[in-house]
Amino acid sequence: MTNDPYAWIEPSLKAIQKANWYRSVRAIDSCPGAVVEMEGRSLLNFASNDYLGLAGDDRLIAAAVKATRRWGTGSTGSRLLSGHRSIHRDLERAIADFKQTEDALVFSSGYLANLGTIAALVGKRDLIFTDRYNHSSLKNGAILSGATVREYPHCDAGELKLQLQQWRSHYRRCLILTDSVFSMDGDLCPLPHLLDLAAEFESMILIDEAHATGVLGTTGAGSPEHFGVRHRPLIQMGTLSKALGSLGGYVAGSASLIDYLRNRSASWIYTTGLSPADTAAALEAIAILQREPQRIAQLWKNVADLKTLISENLTDPDPISEQSVPKLLPSGSPILCVQLDDPALVLSVGDRLKANGILAAAVRPPTVPTSRLRMTVMATHETSHLQQLIESLVEILRSNRSPVNGTH
Ligand SMILES: *Cc1c(COP(=O)(O)O)cnc(C)c1O
């Protein structure tokens, strides 16, 4: 009798449950939007990446249906074999125009864009610098590349410079990796400073625009537009799945970079082309963004309104909780985090918000260094939605302070 080689899985799952790290899915039963249906109830949605409210837009749906009727449901092959359609190229041209880069390449997801791009750009003789808070896809892309990987403290350009001075000359190529909007904090990377360091130390730089595309800059072109550095050489990757309401990833940059990736990026070459529906929906989203800049303006108005509501009602130490004063973490994006130091409190606030009909993420270590309630703002939130969120939070935090009838 041999031992079951899969026997380790059950105890590992139990250990995950025991550590309170167990996760499972819950279905949303409606179109995406500021209000969604879940488990037979309507919930106000502050947990979505659909910043502009485009994922449920009739025009994106119509574009996806039309493309499906014309080209079918699947691309049937990799782009270099039978999987290329004219709309893939149309989308790549639209992204390059939007980003004001020479060219762009569309991947099947943002995650794959990072894996395939990083591994194509650097290898064993090279060096990667990565912000400690970078997204998993950047971190895993760095590992996959085989390059030497050095983490620098979050947004710390000074420390990065010291590390560049110490290590850069020992390696062939060098690549700096950073989120432009950090997904669990909502703050921005110091892009102008990083670009200066990249130039000084002959380093490439790749920014992950997942939460910046369609959000930052007056036209939504992202952080280079926001910081006024669109002419500087850099590699931009992003996703079609957040503000653009579809699915897929992209890299935008120089024509030679894109041509090189078409020839060397394994996660682009050896995977099926993006579906016609996803491609057409993303193309329509970019067109809408250009026709309706008021969407981005409305998103930022909502962000400003919610920030004001939070600072006026929540982060006052007196009325709420003596032990754990909520703090609004610095943010330059529609991702707003209220830090509450006690992980158990964050969990219970998240649960009670949900009981009140509001969806927001309770995020705890080890995902992030400090526990927080993470709220994402959408252009399609109404003022009453923001007020409802704050009223509910105030009530929950207040009742948390006063002793609850004999539950202990
Ligand atoms: C969501 C996200 C990705 C991955 O994009 P997908 O298209 O969903 O695979 C990459 N980087 C960051 C920072 C993200 O937030």
Side-chain angles (χ1 to χ4, degrees):
M1 233 343 241
T2 54
N3 286 329
D4 175 5
Y6 305 97
W8 62 272
I9 296 177
E10 287 284 338
S12 280
L13 259 178
K14 291 230 166 67
I16 293 169
Q17 279 163 336
K18 226 171 152 185
N20 253 324
W21 290 349
Y22 184 75
R23 317 181 69 172
S24 58
V25 297
R26 264 179 270 115
I28 284 183
D29 303 312
S30 60
C31 246
V35 179
V36 291
E37 300 289 318
M38 186 188 272
E39 292 158 4
R41 292 196 309 141
S42 272
L43 294 180
L44 259 180
N45 192 2
F46 286 95
S48 169
N49 298 321
D50 182 21
Y51 298 110
L52 299 173
L54 289 174
D57 190 287
D58 283 337
R59 294 165 293 181
L60 270 72
I61 296 170
V65 170
K66 193 172 158 208
T68 303
R69 293 208 187 283
R70 163 110 201 252
W71 284 288
T73 49
S75 292
T76 76
S78 68
R79 292 277 298 281
L80 291 172
L81 291 173
S82 61
H84 180 67
R85 306 287 175 271
S86 58
I87 42 168
H88 289 131
R89 196 59 195 145
D90 294 344
L91 176 58
E92 288 167 347
R93 286 311 323 164
I95 292 168
D97 285 348
F98 177 47
K99 286 276 183 182
Q100 291 181 13
T101 57
E102 285 177 3
D103 207 350
L105 188 65
V106 168
F107 289 72
S108 302
S109 80
Y111 208 110
L112 286 172
N114 269 335
L115 295 186
T117 302
I118 297 165
L121 293 173
V122 288
K124 281 197 187 69
R125 295 159 62 196
D126 305 321
L127 177 60
I128 285 176
F129 288 106
T130 173
D131 187 292
R132 185 169 295 156
Y133 286 10
N134 274 346
H135 188 259
S136 157
S137 54
L138 289 171
K139 294 187 171 179
N140 280 327
I143 293 170
L144 182 66
S145 75
T148 301
V149 181
R150 296 197 165 270
E151 263 189 10
Y152 60 89
H154 179 52
C155 286
D156 191 341
E159 176 62 26
L160 173 59
K161 179 167 185 171
L162 293 176
Q163 291 197 20
L164 278 160
Q165 282 167 336
Q166 186 172 2
W167 299 107
R168 172 66 187 96
S169 61
H170 301 276
Y171 296 86
R172 182 182 61 166
R173 299 178 198 142
C174 181
L175 174 65
I176 299 167
L177 299 176
T178 185
D179 283 15
S180 37
V181 173
F182 287 87
S183 50
M184 285 299 136
D185 292 70
D187 56 344
L188 310 185
C189 78
L191 184 58
H193 210 144
L194 296 179
L195 284 167
D196 289 346
L197 288 177
E200 184 180 347
F201 291 92
E202 204 187 307
S203 284
M204 300 177 284
I205 173 164
L206 182 154
I207 59 172
D208 182 331
E209 292 266 284
H211 295 274
T213 304
V215 172
L216 286 182
T218 27
T219 70
S223 64
E225 184 184 25
H226 171 81
F227 285 109
V229 293
R230 297 182 88 166
H231 58 285
R232 306 280 297 268
L234 85 162
I235 301 167
Q236 302 183 50
M237 71 69 60
T239 179
L240 309 174
S241 68
K242 288 174 177 143
L244 299 181
S246 181
L247 179 69
Y250 69 82
V251 174
S254 71
S256 55
L257 167 78
I258 299 304
D259 213 17
Y260 180 80
L261 291 178
R262 268 194 294 265
N263 286 278
R264 277 288 178 269
S265 180
S267 72
W268 185 80
I269 298 169
Y270 300 106
T271 198
T272 301
L274 201 61
S275 79
D278 292 319
T279 310
L283 201 48
E284 182 65 21
I286 293 173
I288 291 174
L289 216 66
Q290 284 162 347
R291 283 201 304 271
E292 301 176 3
Q294 65 271 24
R295 280 181 177 270
I296 298 170
Q298 184 62 47
L299 171 64
W300 284 100
K301 182 183 180 299
N302 287 350
V303 170
D305 287 353
L306 186 57
K307 272 186 172 169
T308 305
L309 284 169
I310 289 173
S311 60
E312 281 175 359
N313 296 284
L314 283 181
T315 52
D316 179 356
D318 186 46
I320 294 188
S321 158
E322 289 114 348
Q323 310 97 329
S324 182
V325 180
K327 184 175 127 205
L328 180 61
L329 296 181
S331 166
S333 73
I335 300 167
L336 301 184
C337 292
V338 170
Q339 182 177 317
L340 292 159
D341 290 326
D342 176 5
L345 175 61
V346 170
L347 266 192
S348 99
V349 171
D351 287 345
R352 289 162 74 182
L353 273 178
K354 193 165 166 233
N356 287 356
I358 296 171
L359 207 54
V363 197
R364 296 160 298 151
T367 308
V368 288
T370 53
S371 318
R372 68 202 59 181
L373 194 70
R374 178 184 183 273
M375 294 156 288
T376 51
V377 181
M378 299 170 65
T380 45
H381 280 132
E382 290 163 20
T383 306
S384 64
H385 295 154
L386 307 181
Q387 283 163 345
Q388 215 177 310
L389 167 67
I390 293 301
E391 276 160 28
S392 193
L393 267 175
V394 167
E395 180 207 306
I396 290 166
L397 290 169
R398 269 213 188 108
S399 71
N400 182 69
R401 186 186 54 161
S402 44
V404 190
N405 317 323
T407 49
H408 289 284

